[in-house]
Amino acid sequence: MKSVAIIGGGAAGLMAAVGAIDKGVTPLVFERNPQVGKKLIITGKGRSNVSNDCDIENFIKNFPGNGSFLYSALYAFDSKKLRNFLDTIGVSTKVERGGRIFPESDKAKDVVNALLKYLLINGAQIRLKSRVEHLVIDGDKIKGISLQGKTMEFPAVIVATGGMSYPSTGSTGDGYNLAQEASHTIVTPFPSLVPLETKEKWIQDVQGLALKNVEASSFYKGKLLQREFGEMIFTHFGVSGPIILTLSREIAKIIRCDNADITVRINLKPALTFEQLDRRLQRILKENKKKSFKNSIMKLFPKSLLNPMLQLSGINPDKPVHQITKEERQSFALLIQNLTLTVTKTRPYEEAIVTAGGVNVKEIAPSTMASKLIKGLYFAGEVLDIDGYTGGYNLQAAFSTGFLAGRSAAAYTSQ
């Protein structure tokens, strides 16, 4: 009986098994953990943001890391096909703000359990606590895998081990070692979609404060890198939240080589031009001319942010409003729209949503996910040098590349 070995039981590996079954071939999934889908279960805060309801072109635009490589995989298995498949295995989905797709139950476990049930019903074998140590290669052809000192022969092998983010789930870079055994090049990995640590101490006074409808911009040596609008949160170490995570990729790429002079500027009132904000401040000060400066601006910010803003402004908080100068007012308006944080480093892999870098996609055939170097070897998911922004893009990429790899590997075994 023809069979395909799949190394890794995460999103990409499980969907690779679905793809193999779709072509009538039995998959054997080797998972080093005592359960499959460990990382999938914790995504989206346990709700599992499985995909995004945008078209393929917009999907590609949300992949700063080699997005165009994904065209074939997405055409083979896009978000609509994913939703239809999930529906057939008993997982209804819904679309939320920003096109994010979640299971209607809001439970990531439902996705994993349904996938596992489908695979087992259709003859797939799942080997838990099974860490594949080596690929067995003969010349330019895969021969099988090695685990616990034993060799198992397979005509096709899919590496779907994930990257290095959330190493507690088993993503510790095993796939990179396996790829290198097959002479593949590894683009140096780094944590992406990761919170940022900052130098400023005042952020500890506002930790836990979430801001909506703000704009954050990243700068390197004074040059604008990226600008994002949406939500963020202050933490005990710095900043996090959707727009910060999006900015973090370019910052992380630079910080590996040079962690000097990287800043994030937060615009607390992005809907206003500087002139409009200045006029608003004039109006507020005029209406509160008998109050102190501190008491006149209390409604401008969340309570916990008021004192840091006053301290950063350098304006005496008890100064009577009628004594505030034009220069002080305009300087305060500038601060509101340019609250600057100095980035010292990214948080570790343990807190990164995805890993950038990985197996060089130039060595992978995008139409099949097959290695261009070793016949019968395939790659899928985060082990590849592909990474997207938050919003369901990375999981869909794992599902799409996994499904395509599974079908392709199954077709190869039937030749």
Side-chain angles (χ1 to χ4, degrees), residues 7-12 31-33 35 37-40 42-43 131 160-177 189 348-355 381-383:
I7 308 173
E31 169 56 51
R32 61 180 287 178
N33 286 308
Q35 67 183 100
K38 198 171 178 182
K39 185 175 177 183
L40 184 54
I42 65 173
T43 60
R131 184 177 185 176
T161 51
M164 293 179 70
S165 57
Y166 295 123
S168 62
T169 65
S171 299
T172 55
D174 283 6
Y176 306 145
N177 296 330
Y349 277 113
E350 284 82 358
E351 296 176 42
I353 293 176
V354 296
T355 307
E382 200 181 340
V383 70

Side-chain angles (χ1 to χ4, degrees), residues 128-148:
L128 301 175
K129 298 181 183 178
S130 299
R131 184 177 185 176
V132 174
E133 294 151 351
H134 301 286
L135 298 176
V136 180
I137 300 167
D138 184 12
D140 66 347
K141 199 171 185 179
I142 199 79
K143 296 294 288 184
I145 60 173
S146 171
L147 68 162
Q148 296 175 328

Side-chain angles (χ1 to χ4, degrees), residues 5 73 75 87 121 207 232 244 289 315 320 397:
Y75 277 112
D87 196 53
I121 286 173
Q207 61 178 293
M232 62 165 286
I244 299 299
K289 57 186 176 183
I315 300 171

Side-chain angles (χ1 to χ4, degrees), residues 167 249 254 272 322 326 372 389:
R249 185 188 191 275
I254 292 169
L272 303 176
H322 68 271
K326 177 183 177 181
K372 293 180 180 178
Y389 295 133

Side-chain angles (χ1 to χ4, degrees), residues 196-364:
L196 302 174
E197 293 192 18
T198 57
K199 182 173 74 174
E200 289 72 18
K201 300 299 181 187
W202 62 262
I203 57 102
Q204 294 178 8
D205 298 328
V206 295
Q207 61 178 293
L209 173 64
L211 299 176
K212 294 183 178 181
N213 302 318
V214 295
E215 186 179 80
S217 305
S218 54
F219 292 82
Y220 174 54
K221 294 184 176 178
K223 183 181 177 183
L224 176 67
L225 295 174
Q226 201 171 345
R227 180 172 284 134
E228 296 293 329
F229 175 85
E231 301 176 19
M232 62 165 286
I233 188 169
F234 290 100
T235 68
H236 67 283
F237 55 76
V239 283
S240 188
I243 59 175
I244 299 299
L245 296 179
T246 298
L247 295 180
S248 71
R249 185 188 191 275
E250 286 303 306
I251 291 173
K253 194 162 67 172
I254 292 169
I255 221 164
R256 290 180 302 156
C257 309
D258 181 8
N259 67 349
D261 206 13
I262 299 176
T263 58
V264 170
R265 298 179 196 170
I266 302 164
N267 185 343
L268 299 170
K269 303 291 180 184
L272 303 176
T273 64
F274 176 79
E275 291 74 18
Q276 289 171 330
L277 178 58
D278 187 41
R279 286 198 295 271
R280 183 175 172 184
L281 282 175
Q282 288 181 59
R283 189 166 63 250
I284 289 170
L285 296 179
K286 188 177 180 181
E287 291 170 354
N288 296 275
K289 57 186 176 183
K290 293 183 179 180
K291 294 182 179 180
S292 66
F293 182 63
K294 177 180 180 178
N295 290 333
S296 71
I297 60 166
M298 289 181 73
K299 293 181 180 178
L300 270 175
F301 314 105
K303 188 177 179 181
S304 61
L305 193 55
L306 180 61
N307 283 335
M309 291 298 290
L310 287 166
Q311 290 169 11
L312 291 167
S313 74
I315 300 171
N316 183 346
D318 297 318
K319 189 172 185 177
V321 162
H322 68 271
Q323 291 182 14
I324 298 297
T325 66
K326 177 183 177 181
E327 289 73 20
E328 286 175 323
R329 186 191 73 235
Q330 292 188 338
S331 174
F332 194 63
L334 194 65
L335 173 65
I336 291 170
Q337 296 194 315
N338 290 274
L339 181 57
T340 302
L341 296 166
T342 309
V343 179
T344 55
K345 60 181 176 179
T346 65
R347 295 295 280 178
Y349 277 113
E350 284 82 358
E351 296 176 42
I353 293 176
V354 296
T355 307
V359 178
N360 192 330
V361 295
K362 292 178 181 177
E363 299 166 356
I364 308 298

Side-chain angles (χ1 to χ4, degrees), residues 103-131:
E104 278 191 353
S105 67
D106 286 328
K107 294 178 181 176
K109 284 184 178 180
D110 290 349
V111 178
V112 175
N113 290 340
L115 280 168
L116 186 57
K117 182 180 178 181
Y118 173 85
L119 294 177
L120 294 175
I121 286 173
N122 285 278
Q125 293 185 44
I126 312 290
R127 304 282 180 87
L128 301 175
K129 298 181 183 178
S130 299
R131 184 177 185 176

